[in-house]
Each structure stands twice: as structure tokens, then as C-alpha cells.
Amino acid sequence: MPICGTVRGPNVLVVHPSVPANTVPELVAYLKKNPGKLSFGSPGVGQSPHLTGVWFNQATGTEAIHVPFRGAGPAATELVAGNIQYMWDNLTSGISQIQGGRVRALAVSSADRNPQLPDVPAARETMPELAKFDVNTWFGIFAPAATPRPVVDSINAAMKAWHETDAVKARWREMGGVSLYGTPEQFAAFVANEVEKWGEVIRKEGLQMDLG
């Protein structure tokens, strides 16, 4: 049972400096000229950066080789080294590489620009094919299905008060995150939309998730 969201934050499309693309349309054009020749990394199969890359390729009609790593750190290391050409990295883990000039940021995956990178466009701004693109890594609180409604409401109210503290607001800004607080009904609708969205991407790609 969904109780409330905590925080959401975008992934960011980053490329190695050797890639001749300064915009998303330029990267798409480069991928189409080299189908299946470029590699994109991720912290693991089925994780948000991987699925973001899959949806990006589906939406733009491009092909690239997915290279999964054991975590965002190793993937970022290989990108900086030029062993992979691009990746959708979580903003909180990728921003230091961007600010250090070791990789180039082309877009964020969220519907809107992120305050941490105000000059980097949202992917949906860049091409008509990406008009519906909206991806966030997010976290929330759930309870067993039989949890009494008064308990759900009590936890939700406590989370609302927590979200409104200056310390939490400052932490979200530091992370490049956005509050995901809402009523249980709003959070349930958000979760249902996420399930539908990613279910379609996964079915189209033919991915099989190993839950073991």
C-alpha cells in the first residue's frame, strides 16, 4: 500500500568528450550513422539508468550496445576513460564528473530542467520524438496492504511535516532532488503510472528481470 513519496531526481545524459555531439539531436544523428557501434553504460540491468537508455533508444530509433556494470561508480570510471561513449547517470552521482569537465551533459531525463544544471535542457525539450520523456529515480514509503487507514494517514502526516523542514529542503536541493510528497492517493496514482510506463518499455525491449 503506497503511503507517500519521499524524493525524486532525474538521470542525466552524459557523453565522453570524444563523442562529436553537443546536443541530443547531434547525439541521435551520430548514433544513427553508427548503428550498434557505440556503447552506453549503466549501474546494472533493470536499474533506472539502464531503462532510461533503453527508452531513449526506442523513442529515437537508435541502436547502441548496453554495457552493465556493478554500480554507478565503475560505469562512470569507464565513461571517463572512454571505454564507453555515453550513459544516463543518476544526477546525484554524476554531477561531480560534469562539474569537473570530465564528461559533457546533454540533457536531464525529468520533465523539467534541474536547478543543479539550469543550462542543461530536459530531454523532452530537444526533439519531438522525446516529447513524452519523463524519467526520475524515486523513493517512497509503502506498508502492507492490510494496514489500517488511520495508521497510513498518521505516517503520511508525519512525512508531510518532515518534508517541510528547512533541513530536508536543503538536502533535496543539494542532491538535485525534488520532493515527492503527496497524499496516499496521489502517490498511488504516481506508482501506477510508473508501472504502466516501464512495463511498456520492458515488453517492447523483451527484457527479462532476474528477481533472484
Side-chain angles (χ1 to χ4, degrees), residues 39-112:
S39 299
F40 75 96
S42 82
V45 174
Q47 296 197 34
S48 174
H50 171 218
L51 296 181
T52 305
V54 169
W55 190 13
F56 175 74
N57 291 144
Q58 289 177 356
T60 57
T62 54
E63 298 177 27
I65 301 168
H66 173 231
V67 182
F69 294 90
R70 291 184 179 273
T77 297
E78 293 301 302
L79 177 63
V80 170
N83 295 325
I84 56 176
Q85 286 69 56
Y86 73 100
M87 67 182 290
W88 286 91
D89 197 2
N90 188 269
L91 179 59
T92 56
S93 59
I95 194 164
S96 62
Q97 303 284 11
I98 297 166
Q99 293 174 336
R102 292 180 288 275
V103 296
R104 186 164 60 249
L106 303 188
V108 291
S109 63
S110 50
D112 303 307

Side-chain angles (χ1 to χ4, degrees), residues 190-210:
F190 172 84
V191 172
N193 182 70
E194 289 288 284
V195 170
E196 181 180 358
K197 174 172 66 181
W198 291 116
E200 182 179 349
V201 171
I202 290 168
R203 286 190 295 271
K204 186 173 181 180
E205 190 71 7
L207 295 174
Q208 296 293 323
M209 297 298 158
D210 182 3

